[in-house]
Amino acid sequence: MLFSQQFGSRPSDDDRHRFKQSEYYNGSTFVNLSPPAPKDPEVGGWKAAWQFLRGTPNRTPDQGTVAAIPIQPEALAPVEGPELYWFGHSSFLLQWHQRNFLFDPVFADVAAPHPWLGSKRYSGQLPIQPGDLPHINAVFISHDHYDHLDLTAIRQLAGKTERFYVPLGVGTHLRGWGIEPSRIVELDWWEHTSLNELAITLTPAQHFSGRRPTGQNQSLWGGWHLKSDDFSLFFSGDTGYSPHFTEIRQRLGAVDFALLECGQYNPAWADIHMMPEETVKAARDLEAGVMMPVHWGAFTLSIHAWNEPAQRVVAEAQKQNQAIVVPRIGERLDLLSPPTTIRPWWDVRLQSMTAQEAKGASDYV
């Protein structure tokens, strides 16, 4: 931890002086808007730890399922957009107004400081190789955890990215990894900036930060809201459910397309990760035209079945009459004309269907 660059950098005295200007910094750490709820002893503590270590059925895809996880590489070209390509988990490429934006790019095979410390990416490959990515106008980071801020990706993107937009304090890591300060834009919650015609806002989230076992919450966490004259997009980052979604809609207006955390949840840490039903509730709070679940489909970081987030969130969205899309990894998604039916590619039962049966399985969940 003292010498590996994976652990990032500790804030300097100058950094802490800047942090003290934030009302969300208590003098030593950043804090959430809402205090943590009382923990249920039946779901937390050693019981949760033992369950995590023991494992659960279908926690990772079996070999047959891995082969069925569609990876659909697409040829990229400048487009007016908005169009989106999901890399799995919370990583995605957004093409909008002839520009390219990457959100929480993770290119490593394992979302951990060392390959021995985590499970490998389900698909075994990325839908678009880093070397094939176009020039990137901006990279947006939600917080500094390994499944969202990847040293491998930052190094591969450093030479082709104009700007890095990060929550307050995350710039400390980037500067330590060689990114010039002039290319880093650090924002506090509710702070605005602009990129040509796009208005950019860092919004609150209910989570935490830190890349080391000690010294957590030395940088902020949050979601990103991007808005032009005719379209708005929101990415929640990692978060528990709280009234901040309603406040985002009140301050910034209804959202056309919302990418919302849905995965790696557990009752033991419900304060910082939403259950799938809460993900749909957040979409309703935002008055989202269309929602898309993220934070699943690539890595095992909790004890639920790997495909459970998709099953539960689609069922709840249909119950609440909330428009939802669940694209395949790498699939081109036109955000102005998203598909109106769900093709449950994550359902292992589809493997036993004939091609004709699977073609008509849009309602099979």
Side-chain angles (χ1 to χ4, degrees), residues 43-55 59 266 268-269 303:
V43 300
W46 287 108
K47 184 175 181 179
W50 170 245
Q51 192 177 19
F52 191 90
L53 292 172
R54 184 183 60 184
R59 191 172 165 191
N266 187 287
W269 50 83
I303 62 172

Side-chain angles (χ1 to χ4, degrees), residues 68-88:
I69 294 178
I71 301 297
Q72 184 169 321
E74 296 272 5
L76 298 178
V79 297
E80 190 62 22
E83 295 183 353
L84 184 146
Y85 302 84
W86 184 44
F87 283 58

Side-chain angles (χ1 to χ4, degrees), residues 88-92 102-107 110-112 139-151 153-154 157 165-166 170 174 177 207-208 211 221-222 235-239 261-264 272-273 294-296 299 301:
H89 205 65
S90 294
S91 303
F92 61 96
L102 272 171
F103 289 74
D104 283 3
V106 174
F107 299 157
V110 175
V139 167
F140 293 87
I141 303 295
S142 65
H143 63 298
D144 72 354
H145 286 159
Y146 290 95
D147 54 326
H148 298 265
L149 177 60
D150 173 27
L151 173 57
I154 297 301
L157 293 168
Y165 291 83
V166 300
V170 176
L174 298 189
W177 293 338
H207 200 56
F208 69 108
R211 296 176 72 85
W221 49 92
F235 168 50
S236 69
D238 280 7
T239 182
E261 185 217 65
C262 182
Q264 321 319 318
I272 56 171
H273 286 298
V294 294
H295 207 239
W296 75 285
F299 306 109
L301 302 174

Side-chain angles (χ1 to χ4, degrees), residues 48-227:
W50 170 245
Q51 192 177 19
F52 191 90
L53 292 172
R54 184 183 60 184
T56 51
N58 204 28
R59 191 172 165 191
T60 59
D62 61 33
Q63 189 58 44
T65 306
V66 170
I69 294 178
I71 301 297
Q72 184 169 321
E74 296 272 5
L76 298 178
V79 297
E80 190 62 22
E83 295 183 353
L84 184 146
Y85 302 84
W86 184 44
F87 283 58
H89 205 65
S90 294
S91 303
F92 61 96
L93 171 70
L94 174 67
Q95 295 190 296
W96 194 2
H97 295 301
Q98 303 288 326
R99 297 182 182 88
N100 302 301
F101 307 125
L102 272 171
F103 289 74
D104 283 3
V106 174
F107 299 157
D109 290 334
V110 175
H114 192 279
W116 293 352
L117 299 177
S119 65
K120 289 188 177 181
R121 186 184 298 272
Y122 300 155
S123 62
Q125 62 179 325
L126 296 168
I128 305 170
Q129 294 303 309
D132 295 331
L133 285 168
H135 175 78
I136 303 298
N137 298 91
V139 167
F140 293 87
I141 303 295
S142 65
H143 63 298
D144 72 354
H145 286 159
Y146 290 95
D147 54 326
H148 298 265
L149 177 60
D150 173 27
L151 173 57
T152 300
I154 297 301
R155 285 175 169 169
Q156 292 175 311
L157 293 168
K160 61 169 60 180
T161 301
E162 293 179 21
R163 291 284 185 275
F164 294 83
Y165 291 83
V166 300
L168 187 60
V170 176
T172 303
H173 299 311
L174 298 189
R175 290 187 291 271
W177 293 338
I179 305 298
E180 299 90 337
S182 61
R183 296 164 61 195
I184 302 170
V185 180
E186 288 185 85
L187 299 181
D188 198 356
W189 287 343
W190 301 120
E191 278 196 316
H192 302 269
T193 188
S194 61
L195 179 61
N196 300 101
E197 70 285 346
L198 291 179
I200 299 168
T201 305
L202 179 71
T203 64
Q206 186 166 291
H207 200 56
F208 69 108
S209 67
R211 296 176 72 85
R212 302 165 183 261
T214 60
Q216 293 182 338
N217 299 339
Q218 298 301 301
S219 64
L220 199 55
W221 49 92
W224 290 103
H225 186 281
L226 278 66
K227 187 174 184 178

Side-chain angles (χ1 to χ4, degrees), residues 226-238:
L226 278 66
K227 187 174 184 178
S228 68
D229 289 340
D230 56 358
F231 190 78
S232 61
L233 178 140
F234 174 69
F235 168 50
S236 69
D238 280 7

